Amino acid sequence: QHIVSKGGSIYDQPALIRGVQTGTVCVMQTRLQAFYILHSRPFKETSLLLDCLSEADGRVSLVAKGAKRPKSAWRGLLQPFTPLMGTWMGKRDLKTLTDVEASGSRIDLKSQAMFIGFYVNELLTRLTHHAEPLPIVFSLYDTLFQNPITEAALRRFEFGLLKALGYGLSLTHTTSGEAIEKDQSYQLDVDAGFTAVQETDNQSHFSGDILHAIANNTLEDPNTLKTAKQITRLVLKKHLGDKPLKSREMMRAKASMR
């Protein structure tokens, strides 16, 4: 028997959560919960090491024992961009995957959408911490990949991610608490927010009307999209540090080959 939460996630009934006896230590097994694989790499001869984003536990590192064996039921299933349901157990940071099934079809990402997928996964591995519950981030991720992946959708994800992690900036009020006016220009301090300025032709300044559009999620206009990208790049750079994103390097390399 299972119950379905309002968000559509499936969980085992609490009575079905079992402990696994290992000597004198009882290691609790998680509820069946939704998760995505952010990154996968070989582990020993027949296993995989998975970096995952789960709905209830946030980032988790899992060992999928025997997943590389030719007859493994998990072979081919444990791929990024596949919505999964699973359980794992263990008391340490590296846990053991005990059960997994697909909760939907693998999301077919092509061309630019594939690079966006790599970029988003890398953002999450760089900006989030293990064992930190991130249900809002999981929802943002799931929404992004369950819908057409556009630049506007990516910017909405970035703004939502920054807000969920505590790095968000007000797009409706200045650092002094005054309402942002549509006919006013503003400069950005990534640590504090926007302040009004008199100059209007400086490329590092942002117009109030575009800030209002971004705040209202109205991102279809090319100028608004460009500004949204500038803002998220500035804020993300602050929290990513100097180490470049590999996904951006891949996108630049592909663009140079055209």
Side-chain angles (χ1 to χ4, degrees):
Q1 296 290 323
H2 296 94
I3 55 176
V4 180
S5 72
K6 293 181 180 179
S9 303
I10 304 173
Y11 293 92
D12 282 333
Q13 292 182 8
L16 297 181
I17 304 172
R18 299 186 299 273
V20 179
Q21 195 72 28
T22 57
T24 59
V25 179
C26 185
V27 180
M28 294 307 294
Q29 183 167 306
T30 62
R31 294 178 174 91
L32 190 69
Q33 65 171 294
F35 73 102
Y36 284 91
I37 294 170
L38 302 177
H39 185 260
S40 171
R41 64 179 184 270
F43 184 70
K44 298 184 177 180
E45 293 184 1
T46 61
S47 301
L48 292 173
L49 187 61
L50 310 174
D51 189 359
C52 306
L53 177 69
S54 68
E55 185 172 26
D57 294 345
R59 285 267 307 290
V60 290
S61 292
L62 305 175
V63 174
K65 294 183 177 180
K68 291 172 59 182
R69 292 192 180 115
K71 295 184 179 180
S72 171
W74 296 350
R75 189 176 177 89
L77 177 63
L78 302 176
Q79 301 288 335
F81 314 117
T82 300
L84 299 167
M85 302 293 296
T87 58
W88 43 87
M89 65 179 186
K91 297 187 69 176
R92 301 181 182 276
D93 290 339
L94 183 59
K95 304 184 186 303
T96 300
L97 185 67
T98 53
D99 192 19
V100 66
E101 61 188 49
S103 61
S105 301
R106 186 172 188 268
I107 301 160
D108 187 20
L109 301 180
K110 296 179 180 179
S111 188
Q112 188 70 10
M114 177 62 76
F115 286 105
I116 288 176
F118 291 151
Y119 166 72
V120 167
N121 284 0
E122 190 174 9
L123 275 186
L124 292 176
T125 58
R126 292 276 296 273
L127 293 175
T128 63
H129 304 286
H130 284 82
E132 178 184 359
L134 299 167
I136 295 176
V137 174
F138 182 89
S139 178
L140 290 167
Y141 187 94
D142 190 56
T143 298
L144 176 65
F145 289 108
Q146 294 297 334
N147 292 282
I149 300 175
T150 63
E151 184 178 355
L154 175 60
R155 301 304 160 218
R156 292 187 183 100
F157 173 84
E158 289 175 328
F159 277 108
L161 175 65
L162 289 168
K163 181 178 180 180
L165 297 180
Y167 304 143
L169 299 172
S170 175
L171 296 167
T172 59
H173 291 80
T174 66
T175 55
S176 60
E178 298 176 349
I180 288 179
E181 302 292 342
K182 291 185 177 182
D183 58 354
Q184 175 70 52
S185 292
Y186 297 87
Q187 65 183 8
L188 173 61
D189 179 340
V190 296
D191 291 317
F194 292 94
T195 55
V197 291
Q198 296 303 317
E199 302 91 338
T200 60
D201 57 351
N202 192 317
Q203 293 185 350
S204 66
H205 295 162
F206 304 94
S207 67
D209 60 335
I210 290 183
L211 294 180
H212 271 269
I214 297 172
N216 292 325
N217 277 325
T218 308
L219 302 177
E220 287 70 25
D221 177 73
N223 287 333
T224 303
L225 270 178
K226 181 180 178 181
T227 300
K229 182 177 180 179
Q230 289 175 324
I231 294 171
T232 56
R233 282 286 178 92
L234 288 170
V235 180
L236 285 169
K237 182 179 180 181
K238 163 73 176 180
H239 301 289
L240 288 169
D242 295 329
K243 183 180 178 181
L245 289 169
K246 294 181 180 179
S247 53
R248 283 183 184 164
E249 293 179 340
M250 290 170 57
M251 284 188 278
R252 282 194 289 267
K254 183 181 179 182
S256 66
M257 294 173 62
R258 294 176 181 174

